[in-house]
């Protein structure tokens, strides 16, 4: 069964940090930052992941997908204060939803556990958010980004799906299926995640645009997975991403039709009082 992300009640949870954290020589922030890392049997990769995480992070939330290796033990050794939560469901979408619900920070950063992401880039994401963006979206194809991990077929598929989203939803993305993103926690109330698998990043990107949130792309370099094999399957997951795009487009059209019908009904019939 798919996990469903419940709205964050931001009014009842004021910022948990009262002091500023030095982020760089030019930036200090007050909002606490949570980093969510979904992981299943990634014990060998976690040392590379944690090594690059900045020490000013408020918390690290590791979502364990029923690992059969030493993933949890290694995480606790590398980051003694790590918050370990057990994943509900089986897919990446379920893992991220579980992790988001466990976060206490005002800013949430998504990082993969395979060693492909550089934690040193987090400062760029956070800088974009505190400068006014709602959603900082990593892009391997923005100027300054890159990837060591995508085949030509995957690049072509990503481009085609990205183009479809841009045309159908009025977005201006250069990358679509990338899991390195950051956002203000209050954005969760507006995007209402409800999917299970790798298509979760696409769903987020679409709903961010539909919600009218301010997006800033962050150039990011994706490195090769260090150990193990990915659970991603290009054709299978590409079709799931396409299905999400079509469903969201269909939902958007239905909403427009309902709004049009509602606006055409006389006020007296709708029960409005002038």
């Amino acid at each position: 069964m798919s996990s469903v992300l419940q709205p964050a009640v931001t009014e009842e949870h004021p910022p948990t940090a009262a002091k500023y954290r030095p982020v760089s020589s030019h930036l200090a922030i007050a909002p606490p930052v949570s980093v969510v890392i979904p992981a299943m049997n990634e014990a060998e990769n976690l040392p590379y992941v944690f090594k690059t995480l900045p020490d000013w992070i408020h918390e690290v939330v590791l979502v364990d997908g029923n690992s059969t290796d030493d993933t949890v033990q290694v995480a606790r050794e590398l980051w003694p204060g790590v918050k370990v939560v057990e994943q509900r469901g089986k897919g990446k979408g379920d893992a991220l939803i579980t992790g988001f619900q466990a976060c206490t920070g005002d800013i949430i950063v998504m990082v993969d556990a395979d060693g492909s992401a550089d934690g040193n880039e987090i400062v760029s994401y956070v800088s974009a958010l505190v400068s006014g963006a709602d959603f900082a979206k990593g892009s391997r194809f923005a100027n300054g980004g890159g990837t060591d991990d995508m085949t030509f077929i995957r690049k072509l598929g990503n481009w085609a799906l990205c183009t479809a989203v841009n045309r159908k939803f009025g977005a201006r993305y250069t990358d679509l299926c990338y899991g390195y993103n950051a956002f203000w926690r209050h954005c969760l109330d507006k995007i209402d995640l409800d999917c299970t698998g790798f298509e979760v990043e696409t769903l987020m990107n679409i709903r961010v645009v539909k919600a009218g949130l301010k997006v800033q792309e962050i150039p990011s370099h994706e490195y090769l997975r260090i150990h193990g094999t990915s659970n991603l399957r290009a054709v299978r997951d590409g079709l799931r991403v396409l299905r999400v795009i079509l469903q969201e487009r269909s939902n958007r059209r239905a909403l427009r039709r309902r709004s049009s019908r509602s606006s055409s009904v006389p006020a007296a019939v709708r029960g409005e009082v002038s």
Side-chain angles (χ1 to χ4, degrees), residues 183-254:
F183 52 90
W184 290 98
R185 186 167 177 260
H186 63 74
C187 294
L188 295 173
D189 297 347
K190 299 178 175 66
I191 60 179
D192 191 26
L193 298 177
D194 54 3
C195 67
T196 62
F198 281 102
E199 70 275 15
V200 64
E201 290 111 355
T202 298
L203 183 65
M204 292 182 73
N205 294 333
I206 292 174
R207 291 189 176 174
V208 161
V209 172
K210 291 169 69 175
L213 298 176
K214 183 177 179 181
V215 180
Q216 182 172 333
E217 284 199 329
I218 306 299
S220 178
H221 192 97
E222 179 187 40
Y223 298 90
L224 289 171
R225 163 182 276 274
I226 299 173
H227 296 286
T229 57
S230 173
N231 292 319
L232 176 68
R233 297 294 178 268
V235 175
R236 178 199 65 186
D237 294 309
L239 289 174
R240 294 183 68 160
V241 168
L242 179 60
R243 190 178 304 119
V244 163
I245 294 172
L246 296 176
Q247 287 175 344
E248 290 298 302
R249 179 61 174 172
S250 176
N251 292 341
R252 189 180 188 186
R253 286 175 174 171

Side-chain angles (χ1 to χ4, degrees), residues 38-217:
M40 183 176 69
N41 297 328
E42 300 284 9
E44 290 185 287
N45 291 322
L46 289 184
Y48 301 91
V49 177
F50 279 82
K51 181 174 64 176
T52 65
L53 295 180
D55 57 10
W56 45 263
I57 288 173
H58 165 63
E59 69 180 351
V60 176
V61 177
L62 181 91
V63 185
D64 179 47
N66 299 309
S67 298
T68 56
D69 65 359
D70 297 327
T71 290
V72 173
Q73 179 182 342
V74 169
R76 286 176 170 152
E77 291 174 354
L78 294 169
W79 201 279
V82 65
K83 179 186 292 187
V84 178
V85 294
E86 184 176 340
Q87 175 179 340
R88 294 189 294 273
K90 296 181 179 180
K92 187 175 183 180
D94 289 323
L96 287 172
I97 290 171
T98 301
F100 295 161
Q101 290 176 331
C103 289
T104 60
D106 296 324
I107 290 175
I108 299 176
V109 184
M110 304 157 45
V111 177
D112 287 338
D114 57 6
S116 63
D118 182 359
N120 291 307
E121 293 180 358
I122 290 177
V123 64
S124 298
Y125 290 81
V126 171
S127 296
L129 295 176
V130 298
S131 296
D134 297 306
F135 190 84
K137 183 192 178 310
S139 173
R140 296 160 292 188
F141 304 110
N143 188 27
T147 177
D148 300 330
D149 191 46
M150 293 185 76
T151 63
F152 173 77
I153 295 300
R154 283 182 58 199
K155 287 181 181 179
L156 182 61
N158 184 68
W159 172 83
L161 294 168
C162 187
T163 300
V165 167
N166 288 343
R167 290 180 177 176
K168 291 182 178 297
F169 299 96
R172 300 170 67 180
Y173 295 135
T174 60
D175 197 354
L176 184 68
C177 307
Y178 191 41
Y180 201 172
N181 304 296
F183 52 90
W184 290 98
R185 186 167 177 260
H186 63 74
C187 294
L188 295 173
D189 297 347
K190 299 178 175 66
I191 60 179
D192 191 26
L193 298 177
D194 54 3
C195 67
T196 62
F198 281 102
E199 70 275 15
V200 64
E201 290 111 355
T202 298
L203 183 65
M204 292 182 73
N205 294 333
I206 292 174
R207 291 189 176 174
V208 161
V209 172
K210 291 169 69 175
L213 298 176
K214 183 177 179 181
V215 180
Q216 182 172 333
E217 284 199 329

